[in-house]
Amino acid sequence: MKAKIHKELLATSALAMLLTLLFSMLAFYGIFKEQVFADLRADAMLLKSMHVFEKPETLCPDSYELEPDKLRITVIAAEGAVLFDTNAAAGSMESHEDRPEVREAFLQGEGSKSRRSKTLDKKLFYYAVDLGNGSVLRISREARSFLAVALDLLPMAVAAVLLLLPVCLVFASYFTKSLMRPIEQMAETLSEPDAAVVYKEFVPFMTTIRRQHEDILKNAALRQEFTANVSHELKTPLTAISGYAQLIEHGMAGEENIARFAGEIHKNSKRLLSLINDILQLSRLDEKNQEPDYTAVDLYRLSEDCLCQLEMVARRQGVTIRLSGKSAVIRADRHLMEELLYNLCDNAIRYNNQGGLVKVTVSETAGQVCLSVQDSGIGIPKEHQMRVFERFYRVDKSRSRATGGTGLGLAIVKHIAAQHGAEVFLESEEGKGTEIRVVFYRK
């Protein structure tokens, strides 16, 4: 970027120099023309005041023959006939009635023009003045073209460019550093929200960058915390499995304990598998390039299937499960909806009381479908209700581990709901139970 700005400043400087030289030459040429016309007018007025050309028949053209770059003197009659000319035979010349400087002199007393002479085939500066006797005195001199003047000025222009070029290099370098310094300072103070932004045009850009930077840091912290939690959660069942296996391996477990130790190994293995499955599911949900496979899904029929799967689990827990409502079809990923329902119902059974009830309700109103999972379990204290959807967050860690909970179920539910544009609402009272509603909005 710095090199590009430096090059563009140099290119701008070079263009500015060329344009300045061009306009200077044009201005100089304009001044040059004005000076030539001023000199011609002074000469014409002087000759008029001498009254020498009022009787052109008495003049001898040869005595006034001038160099091509000197004055040319012509006397023209009212009807346009040339009465006298110092550089051509007057009798052989065509009528000058149509010459603009001559017409202007007859009408206004004086006239001037720069044009190409038909007689001499050269570009001349003309100045004509009315002699007051029905004729016009016109004097002229050869005109130098703009190109000729520019060529004369070219050595001086080249010298000026060579002198200004090092100056442009120095200033381009200085201004490049001056422009880049605030940007470099912004890069250094990226993590400082109160740092001033020199260029106001960069304020939206820096706001976005800082927000993204904060998001990156936050995500990095979350990943680090997640990794630490995963390591800890995996370590607990693995330690238990390893410990019980070593006791059996070294014969330290009596015959009466082998079955119990094997049961503990089995229970911790199941917990470990559940934890790994939930972690994999969250990883898949976190993949931004993985789009859900949307199809028509009947939430009521899906809830029936889910409760059938959990019937045996609920019986072992002494919990009654009940489904109410009616058929309601939404556009959703069937596999993810099964995962959402299973986690909600499994949690409702897991954290319920002996003889408790889990009620699943599917309802439909204008523009939305609501899935409600309500239990009569232990409930969630108010201070924990805002955090239960966080990964690995547990209200009662000892009970969660005893029941085999991973602390990821509600995090998965919230993630799936967000992918489907749904909202999750929680209502709970400690000791009385919890209701979680997932509201799907029709588009």
Side-chain angles (χ1 to χ4, degrees):
M1 182 178 178
K2 187 181 288 187
K4 185 177 180 181
I5 291 175
H6 190 258
K7 289 177 182 177
E8 288 181 355
L9 283 174
L10 281 176
T12 303
S13 300
L15 181 62
M17 280 194 297
L18 290 174
L19 290 174
T20 301
L21 288 172
L22 178 62
F23 287 124
S24 297
M25 288 179 179
L26 287 170
F28 179 81
Y29 188 69
I31 294 170
F32 168 74
K33 285 176 66 175
E34 289 179 5
Q35 185 61 48
V36 170
F37 281 127
D39 292 343
L40 287 174
R41 184 178 186 280
D43 291 340
M45 291 304 177
L46 177 63
L47 293 173
K48 178 181 177 181
S49 64
M50 294 172 62
H51 306 288
V52 175
F53 296 93
E54 292 179 358
K55 296 181 180 180
E57 66 277 1
T58 62
L59 300 175
C60 179
D62 293 339
S63 62
Y64 295 95
E65 188 174 354
L66 303 171
E67 302 266 341
D69 60 340
K70 302 297 181 181
L71 291 179
R72 174 189 175 193
I73 303 171
T74 309
V75 179
I76 304 158
E79 67 279 3
V82 178
L83 303 176
F84 176 81
D85 191 281
T86 56
N87 289 59
S92 62
M93 296 173 66
E94 63 181 15
S95 173
H96 279 40
E97 184 181 11
D98 61 338
R99 303 304 193 262
E101 69 278 1
V102 175
R103 290 201 311 270
E104 193 176 341
F106 278 123
L107 292 172
Q108 301 177 13
E110 297 179 24
S112 60
K113 191 68 177 178
S114 172
R115 58 179 178 78
R116 193 164 195 80
S117 170
K118 295 180 181 179
T119 305
L120 300 179
D121 196 23
K122 293 179 181 179
K123 189 174 181 180
L124 301 175
F125 290 112
Y126 293 98
Y127 200 91
V129 61
D130 190 356
L131 292 176
N133 62 351
S135 61
V136 165
L137 172 66
R138 188 188 69 180
I139 61 174
S140 60
R141 62 177 301 174
E142 189 173 344
R144 298 191 66 198
S145 66
F146 171 75
L147 183 60
V149 174
L151 287 173
D152 286 345
L153 293 174
L154 188 60
M156 189 181 298
V158 171
V161 169
L162 292 175
L163 286 172
L164 288 172
L165 191 58
V167 177
C168 290
L169 287 169
V170 172
F171 274 98
S173 178
Y174 170 77
F175 286 124
T176 301
K177 291 178 181 177
S178 179
L179 285 168
M180 290 301 298
R181 192 177 297 114
I183 299 174
E184 292 169 351
Q185 288 174 351
M186 284 191 293
E188 293 171 1
T189 59
L190 192 62
S191 58
E192 300 175 15
D194 297 329
V197 180
V198 176
Y199 303 124
K200 64 180 182 180
E201 294 83 3
F202 279 8
V203 170
F205 173 74
M206 286 305 298
T207 301
T208 303
I209 290 294
R210 281 174 177 160
R211 186 169 61 249
Q212 291 176 347
H213 182 66
E214 290 170 4
D215 290 343
I216 289 169
L217 292 176
K218 183 179 178 180
N219 289 334
L222 289 173
R223 281 197 300 272
Q224 187 175 7
E225 182 184 0
F226 181 71
T227 303
N229 286 331
V230 167
S231 301
H232 177 73
E233 294 295 331
L234 290 174
K235 186 178 179 181
T236 302
L238 282 172
T239 302
I241 291 169
S242 177
Y244 287 123
Q246 283 182 4
L247 289 174
I248 295 172
E249 180 186 10
H250 296 295
M252 297 175 68
E255 290 293 331
E256 69 280 3
N257 290 323
I258 289 177
R260 184 169 64 86
F261 289 173
E264 289 294 330
I265 290 172
H266 182 247
K267 184 179 75 173
N268 281 282
S269 298
K270 285 177 64 180
R271 181 163 176 263
L272 188 60
L273 286 171
S274 297
L275 187 62
I276 290 170
N277 286 333
D278 284 349
I279 291 169
L280 290 173
Q281 180 63 36
L282 272 176
S283 297
R284 284 192 292 269
L285 290 171
D286 282 335
E287 292 177 9
K288 298 186 183 299
N289 59 348
Q290 186 173 356
E291 290 294 327
D293 182 17
Y294 292 106
T295 57
V297 176
D298 188 334
L299 272 184
Y300 188 85
R301 301 300 174 201
L302 209 63
S303 299
E304 278 185 327
D305 295 340
C306 179
L307 293 183
C308 285
Q309 292 177 31
L310 291 169
E311 182 69 35
M312 292 301 297
V313 176
R315 286 182 182 178
R316 283 199 300 267
Q317 295 284 108
V319 174
T320 302
I321 52 178
R322 187 181 301 160
L323 174 64
S324 63
K326 61 179 182 178
S327 176
V329 178
I330 61 170
R331 292 283 299 172
D333 185 304
R334 186 179 185 84
H335 173 72
L336 293 180
M337 284 300 103
E338 289 173 348
E339 188 79 22
L340 180 142
L341 268 164
Y342 184 89
N343 278 290
L344 286 176
C345 295
D346 183 58
N347 266 13
I349 295 168
R350 192 186 301 274
Y351 298 104
N352 214 318
N353 299 313
Q354 187 74 21
L357 172 68
V358 173
K359 184 179 180 182
V360 179
T361 307
V362 178
S363 60
E364 184 175 8
T365 58
Q368 64 184 40
V369 173
C370 180
L371 169 69
S372 169
V373 179
Q374 187 176 8
D375 66 66
S376 59
I378 60 175
I380 304 169
K382 286 191 178 298
E383 63 270 20
H384 295 286
Q385 289 180 14
M386 295 297 292
R387 300 194 61 190
V388 292
F389 293 98
E390 295 178 12
R391 299 177 184 189
F392 294 110
Y393 188 82
R394 295 185 180 92
V395 177
D396 186 345
K397 292 182 172 60
S398 60
R399 173 152 183 158
S400 293
R401 290 199 174 96
T403 58
T406 63
L408 293 173
L410 290 181
I412 292 172
V413 167
K414 188 174 182 181
H415 213 314
I416 293 172
Q419 282 197 349
H420 288 77
E423 287 188 275
V424 181
F425 301 93
L426 182 145
E427 291 180 14
S428 183
E429 189 174 346
E430 193 173 3
K432 292 188 176 181
T434 301
E435 180 186 11
I436 296 178
R437 289 179 293 113
V438 184
V439 179
F440 299 89
Y441 299 98
R442 295 193 186 282
K443 297 178 181 179

